[in-house]
Amino acid sequence: RSAVLQTISSINFINWRDNNIYKAGKAFANQKQYWKDFTKLMNSDFLKDRRQGLKLNISESEIADAAATSKNKAKAALNYLLQKGFLPTQIADSFAIASGGATYYRNRINTLVKEGMSQKEAEEQAFRDFREIAEESQQSSRPDRISQQQASNVGRVILAFANTPSQYARIIKKAASDLKNKRGDWKNNVSKIIYYGAMQNLIFNVLQQALF
């Protein structure tokens, strides 16, 4: 159940600017580039650290071949990764971040290059932006992203079962504050409130009840 619930986070990288539904679909359609970006993110130190030090490297050609021979490309990729030795919960977390992040990463690079950055600078900045989104919407061990609730003794117990809704609530609160104080893009803030307030909680609760 934990593994399945984590995979819904792949759509946390959809936004109104760089990686809207159309652009994400276009990036995914370029399968060669998509799996190249997916592999880069999966093999990054960031995701290796999230897998508690599991240092398995993913072969770009092998995972691309596995996806190419299947209509259900996500399932084929997951099967390949499980065969490589990942535990279900480890791969679900990394897979959600890398699969959703791959389209964002590529589209963010394209935006930054158009704005005047060099390819190398754009790739470095896009990865930082990708990581910020991942750590905002997923569990993070960074000190600056751990709330007082999470750090408390009671929170360590309770939030082991209710951490995801709590994280969404914090994102909604920040988006509402940004909207009120006219910070950032209002469309992104509104979409965050709607998305995390309705869709993510709906998906999470339905999956949780169904699997229970």
Side-chain angles (χ1 to χ4, degrees):
R1 182 175 71 173
S2 174
V4 173
L5 290 174
Q6 286 181 48
T7 61
I8 67 173
S9 300
S10 60
I11 47 178
N12 287 341
F13 294 90
I14 299 295
N15 61 31
W16 284 98
R17 187 186 176 195
D18 308 289
N19 197 42
N20 58 44
I21 294 291
Y22 171 74
K23 288 183 178 178
K26 190 176 179 181
F28 181 74
N30 185 349
Q31 283 283 288
K32 185 177 180 180
Q33 184 64 59
Y34 176 82
W35 291 114
K36 184 176 181 179
D37 292 334
F38 173 89
T39 305
K40 180 175 181 177
L41 299 181
M42 279 290 295
N43 290 335
S44 67
D45 289 339
F46 166 55
L47 285 185
K48 284 182 180 178
D49 288 341
R50 285 184 67 88
R51 296 194 293 267
Q52 298 176 334
L54 189 63
K55 299 297 184 183
L56 289 176
N57 277 327
I58 309 304
S59 168
E60 177 192 333
S61 58
E62 287 181 11
I63 199 167
D65 289 343
T69 57
S70 175
K71 289 184 179 179
N72 189 334
K73 300 186 184 305
K75 183 178 179 181
L78 279 168
N79 286 339
Y80 164 79
L81 293 166
L82 287 169
Q83 289 169 6
K84 290 287 287 184
F86 288 92
L87 295 175
T89 49
Q90 288 176 326
I91 187 52
D93 177 70
S94 290
F95 183 83
I97 294 173
S99 60
T103 60
Y104 172 84
Y105 175 71
R106 180 51 43 190
N107 285 323
R108 184 68 179 143
I109 289 172
N110 293 340
T111 297
L112 293 170
V113 168
K114 286 179 182 178
E115 290 176 353
M117 278 193 183
S118 68
Q119 184 69 24
K120 187 173 185 298
E121 288 174 333
E123 288 176 0
E124 291 173 353
Q125 183 61 50
F127 185 86
R128 286 194 292 270
D129 294 341
F130 148 78
R131 180 169 179 167
E132 282 297 313
I133 293 174
E135 293 196 320
E136 179 183 39
S137 55
Q138 297 277 84
Q139 294 182 34
S140 174
S141 60
R142 272 173 46 184
D144 62 322
R145 288 201 175 273
I146 295 177
S147 68
Q148 290 180 333
Q149 285 179 321
Q150 288 172 297
S152 70
N153 291 330
V154 174
R156 288 174 186 273
V157 176
I158 295 174
L159 292 181
F161 301 94
N163 195 46
T164 301
S166 295
Q167 281 181 284
Y168 296 159
R170 287 194 293 272
I171 294 172
I172 292 168
K173 182 181 178 182
K174 183 177 184 300
S177 176
D178 288 345
L179 188 63
K180 180 182 177 182
N181 294 293
K182 298 181 180 179
R183 291 190 295 259
D185 184 353
W186 71 269
K187 287 190 294 183
N188 274 336
N189 289 325
V190 170
S191 66
K192 280 183 180 181
I193 293 169
I194 295 172
Y195 173 64
Y196 287 106
M199 290 305 296
Q200 277 283 46
N201 278 305
L202 176 65
I203 294 169
F204 183 88
N205 288 320
V206 168
L207 274 175
Q208 190 176 47
Q209 292 301 317
L211 285 166
F212 180 77

